[in-house]
Amino acid sequence: MASFESKPYSKRLLQLVSWSHWFTFFNIIAAILLSSIYVFSESMPDTLLGQTYLVTTWLSHMAFLTFMSFVLILFPITILFPRTRFIRVTASIIFTVELLLLLLDAFIYTRLGYHLNISSSAPILELISNEIQQNSRVFWFISLVLTMVILSFELITSNYAWKHLKELQKTIFARFVVIPLVSFFFFSHIIHIWADANLEYDVLRQDTVLPLSYPSTAKTLLTKYGMFDEVDYIARRTSPLAFTDAVPQYPVYQGQCPNDTALKQSVFMVITDQTLQTQQLDKIKQRVKQGVLSLDNHVDNALPKEAWFNLLYSLPSIYKEALIEQHAQPLIFQIIAQKNLAKSFTIVGEDNSEASVINSHGLLSLTNELFPTTTKLADISSLIFADKLNSYAPGLHVFYFKGDNSYQFELFLDALISAQNKKQDDKKNNDILWISSIGNSTIDTSLSIKPALLILPNSKNSSINKLTSHMDMQPTLIKNWLNCDIKAKSYSNGTDIKALNNDRIIANTMDNGIVVFNKDKSMFVDQNGNFQSYSIQLAAPITAKPDFPLMIDGVHFIKQFSKQAHNVQ
């Protein structure tokens, strides 16, 4: 009997193609079963239409992706190398890898909310690395078992389809599966086109569930993550962002800080409206002997009226209204009051009328709740003496230079640093200085990096290349000034700057969208789905495709405090 390999090319090819169709069919069934992880990780749609769309798009989408693996990979190889053993082994390996990637993608989706993609490779690798570090033996054991099980399934299925090919060709049951899957494919796409035109949220919210599928607009995704009200989905087309769930109660200080020694250090925050230039900061660094932390990738991505809230509360702007209604004081101010430390707020600028400050920044309505008095000065002539600056009682002292005050700002910093250098007591008790700009006049400037300086006298000089933000200041001061060991996530979205060791996403909200930063780029996304990207390395706007995974990371950052507080409760 002539062997299969000795048959004419056309007969060998036809038989292999027929086998590969059946082999792909069995893999479609396997892919659909494994992809049920995506479906069960989401809440069931409320409407019958949404439920019907979920089932039809799930079955047809996974069948289509699996079949495309055959069309794009296996079929061309079969045409070029129609060798039985080679094709069967190759096909088994291809579909083993595909099903393993499907499981990996499902794992990432259940943890991070998006699928495998290059733009979010850092969070994905960090997630996998953390899993390995927590229990490497279990991780590798499960990975090995899954690989062996899937590969065994592929080899058994391959062998079965080959040996029973003639019997399978005579059966008709496959058409009762294939025809409905094709019908589901067209039906689900028609339903999605209709839902997109009519803003049917129960359908559109499912756009991110399955692999290689992303939403038509950012608003759909923001609604899914609880930052728009789905009941009012159409009417809120231009409304500001707001949580659909209640913002949790802000924590109350429980006496976690040590009380054995009195603090001798103060914190001086010197803040300006004007964006600081590298040359200005370099001059300051040259005059400070020790403890300079240069924040080279510092983020201040809020408009002026919200930036002070980000700085003082260490939370994204979306929490502002709720926390002010709660009359909540930032944890650092609660600790300051408990320790009887001083606090002062000084505004320096030519126009310091109360109406001017409130209209431009909404500032006094916030600071009046936190500081006993606000001093308004036209110039710094009364502040630039070392005795005056060194006479401030230990506590938190904020100096805000409003408007175009760069000359007075620099002159004040010179006086402040000179006063620090003239202190006669232990240099370790020199004060902590925080020097930065605040607020942005436009969305464009909010997408750029704004370098800042943090001077911690007991630290070594260093450059911090990780992303930092105003939201990091409260956790940094609570840890390094007040010596309190309190988890930052319990009261803020920031991190102690000295403890930063990983790249991270930083995000904030504006009235009509969110601003998201990673180490390479920043972007603004409004609720209508318009993306504006900015390259951090090039320091210029760029044209880029909508980066939904980065936006999802940003949403997770924004909701960090809310989730943590709910978990505590």
Side-chain angles (χ1 to χ4, degrees):
M1 181 182 292
S3 67
F4 175 81
E5 302 298 347
S6 65
K7 290 182 179 181
Y9 172 83
S10 57
K11 289 185 178 180
R12 282 188 286 132
L13 182 60
L14 286 174
Q15 195 166 358
L16 274 174
V17 170
S18 178
W19 167 84
S20 60
H21 275 97
W22 281 102
F23 185 60
T24 303
F25 173 80
F26 291 126
N27 274 282
I28 287 174
I29 304 301
I32 289 173
L33 291 175
L34 291 178
S35 64
S36 62
I37 298 172
Y38 298 107
V39 178
F40 292 127
S41 68
E42 296 286 329
S43 58
M44 184 62 64
D46 298 323
T47 64
L48 179 61
L49 178 65
Q51 295 166 3
T52 304
Y53 176 78
L54 173 62
V55 174
T56 56
T57 193
W58 164 42
L59 298 176
S60 61
H61 187 77
M62 295 313 303
F64 175 77
L65 291 183
T66 309
F67 183 70
M68 289 307 296
S69 299
F70 160 73
V71 172
L72 298 177
I73 303 175
L74 184 57
F75 183 70
I77 296 175
T78 305
I79 296 293
L80 295 173
F81 304 102
R83 298 291 183 266
T84 309
R85 292 182 179 178
F86 174 77
I87 293 299
R88 288 174 58 187
V89 171
T90 301
S92 297
I93 294 174
I94 289 171
F95 282 107
T96 297
V97 172
E98 179 178 318
L99 294 182
L100 285 172
L101 285 175
L102 181 64
L103 288 174
L104 176 62
D105 183 79
F107 169 72
I108 291 169
Y109 179 78
T110 57
R111 294 296 185 89
L112 300 178
Y114 49 79
H115 302 283
L116 282 167
N117 67 93
I118 296 176
S119 65
S120 295
S121 57
I124 291 172
L125 291 174
E126 183 181 355
L127 172 64
I128 296 173
S129 176
N130 289 339
E131 289 294 324
I132 294 174
Q133 289 176 5
Q134 289 174 7
N135 201 329
S136 60
R137 290 185 179 180
V138 172
F139 177 87
W140 292 116
F141 175 75
I142 293 175
S143 300
L144 180 61
V145 169
L146 287 174
T147 302
M148 297 305 297
V149 169
I150 294 175
L151 181 59
S152 298
F153 165 79
E154 298 295 344
L155 293 174
I156 292 171
T157 305
S158 170
N159 188 57
Y160 175 83
W162 183 255
K163 287 188 174 182
H164 298 82
L165 183 58
K166 290 184 179 180
E167 298 172 22
L168 291 171
Q169 289 173 333
K170 294 177 182 179
T171 60
I172 60 172
F173 75 88
R175 71 184 63 176
F176 295 108
V177 177
V178 173
I179 292 175
L181 287 176
V182 174
S183 302
F184 290 167
F185 181 82
F186 288 103
F187 174 79
S188 62
H189 279 73
I190 292 171
I191 290 297
H192 189 275
I193 292 170
W194 176 86
D196 196 31
N198 292 275
L199 294 178
E200 181 58 45
Y201 172 71
D202 215 30
V203 170
L204 298 179
R205 61 172 289 213
Q206 301 175 43
D207 283 355
T208 60
V209 174
L210 298 172
L212 300 179
S213 177
Y214 284 104
S216 303
T217 68
K219 183 181 176 185
T220 305
L221 207 53
L222 292 171
T223 305
K224 176 179 177 179
Y225 283 96
M227 299 181 75
F228 273 105
D229 185 358
E230 63 183 271
V231 177
D232 206 15
Y233 182 69
I234 300 175
R236 292 174 61 85
R237 198 175 301 187
T238 58
S239 302
L241 295 175
F243 284 128
T244 56
D245 297 327
V247 173
Q249 198 72 23
Y250 191 81
V252 176
Y253 176 58
Q254 302 292 336
Q256 300 98 319
C257 301
N259 295 310
D260 49 350
T261 56
L263 282 174
K264 296 182 180 180
Q265 278 183 314
S266 286
V267 173
F268 286 90
M269 289 187 175
V270 188
I271 299 170
T272 176
D273 272 344
Q274 306 298 308
T275 300
L276 295 177
Q277 303 300 316
T278 305
Q279 296 87 339
Q280 291 175 285
L281 298 179
D282 287 341
K283 291 179 182 178
I284 300 169
K285 287 188 281 188
Q286 290 173 5
R287 298 198 57 196
V288 180
K289 297 177 181 178
Q290 185 179 356
V292 178
L293 302 184
S294 180
L295 310 182
D296 298 331
N297 286 307
H298 191 72
V299 171
D300 171 22
N301 49 17
L303 297 179
K305 64 178 182 177
E306 313 295 353
W308 283 99
F309 176 81
N310 301 152
L311 175 64
L312 298 174
Y313 282 82
S314 298
L315 289 170
S317 306
I318 197 169
Y319 294 95
K320 179 180 177 182
E321 183 177 346
L323 294 193
I324 290 178
E325 287 178 358
Q326 293 178 16
H327 298 286
Q329 284 209 340
L331 191 64
I332 191 170
F333 282 84
Q334 297 180 41
I335 301 171
I336 287 173
Q338 194 79 6
K339 289 180 172 290
N340 294 317
L341 296 171
K343 51 186 178 179
S344 66
F345 192 90
T346 303
I347 301 176
V348 180
E350 293 181 1
D351 183 3
N352 275 313
S353 65
E354 186 163 320
S356 170
V357 178
I358 291 177
N359 290 337
S360 61
H361 303 312
L363 176 59
L364 291 183
S365 59
L366 183 63
T367 57
N368 284 345
E369 293 283 332
L370 304 178
F371 295 90
T373 58
T374 298
T375 303
K376 305 181 186 68
L377 301 174
D379 57 60
I380 60 168
S381 58
S382 61
L383 298 175
I384 57 175
F385 301 101
D387 291 342
K388 170 68 174 177
L389 293 171
N390 287 336
S391 66
Y392 280 87
L396 175 64
H397 305 288
V398 181
F399 296 86
Y400 168 46
F401 288 79
K402 179 178 173 292
D404 187 6
N405 266 310
S406 57
Y407 174 73
Q408 294 205 67
F409 173 78
E410 292 180 13
L411 191 61
F412 176 78
L413 280 175
D414 285 340
L416 180 60
I417 294 171
S418 295
Q420 292 294 308
N421 292 335
K422 289 179 180 179
K423 280 194 170 184
Q424 299 299 315
D425 59 350
D426 189 350
K427 294 295 182 182
K428 290 183 180 180
N429 287 324
N430 277 14
D431 300 317
I432 296 172
L433 309 184
W434 162 246
I435 303 162
S436 78
S437 58
I438 194 164
N440 300 276
S441 57
T442 66
I443 290 176
D444 291 336
T445 60
S446 71
L447 294 172
S448 60
I449 292 295
K450 305 195 175 52
L453 282 182
L454 173 62
I455 300 174
L456 293 172
N458 298 332
S459 302
K460 295 180 180 179
N461 293 346
S462 63
S463 294
I464 308 295
N465 294 318
K466 307 295 183 184
L467 281 179
T468 58
S469 80
H470 283 359
M471 287 180 265
D472 295 325
M473 287 316 302
Q474 186 177 193
T476 302
L477 294 177
I478 286 179
K479 177 65 177 178
N480 297 280
W481 176 44
L482 300 173
N483 301 312
C484 305
D485 192 13
I486 304 174
K487 282 188 176 181
K489 289 183 179 180
S490 66
Y491 61 89
S492 82
N493 278 22
T495 304
D496 175 12
I497 289 174
K498 290 188 68 176
L500 284 174
N501 51 21
N502 293 318
D503 292 320
R504 59 174 175 163
I505 304 296
I506 291 178
N508 203 357
T509 57
M510 293 186 175
D511 288 344
N512 59 342
I514 65 174
V515 185
V516 187
F517 280 75
N518 68 10
K519 63 179 181 179
D520 298 318
K521 72 176 181 180
S522 58
M523 68 179 187
F524 172 72
V525 189
D526 68 26
Q527 66 265 42
N528 293 321
N530 300 311
F531 283 71
Q532 179 180 343
S533 298
Y534 188 94
S535 171
I536 292 177
Q537 294 179 348
L538 299 176
I542 57 174
T543 302
K545 294 181 180 179
D547 194 340
F548 286 105
L550 181 58
M551 189 181 83
I552 293 172
D553 281 332
V555 171
H556 286 322
F557 177 88
I558 290 168
K559 299 190 72 174
Q560 178 179 297
F561 168 73
S562 179
K563 289 181 179 179
Q564 185 78 9
H566 278 303
N567 291 338
V568 172
Q569 293 174 359

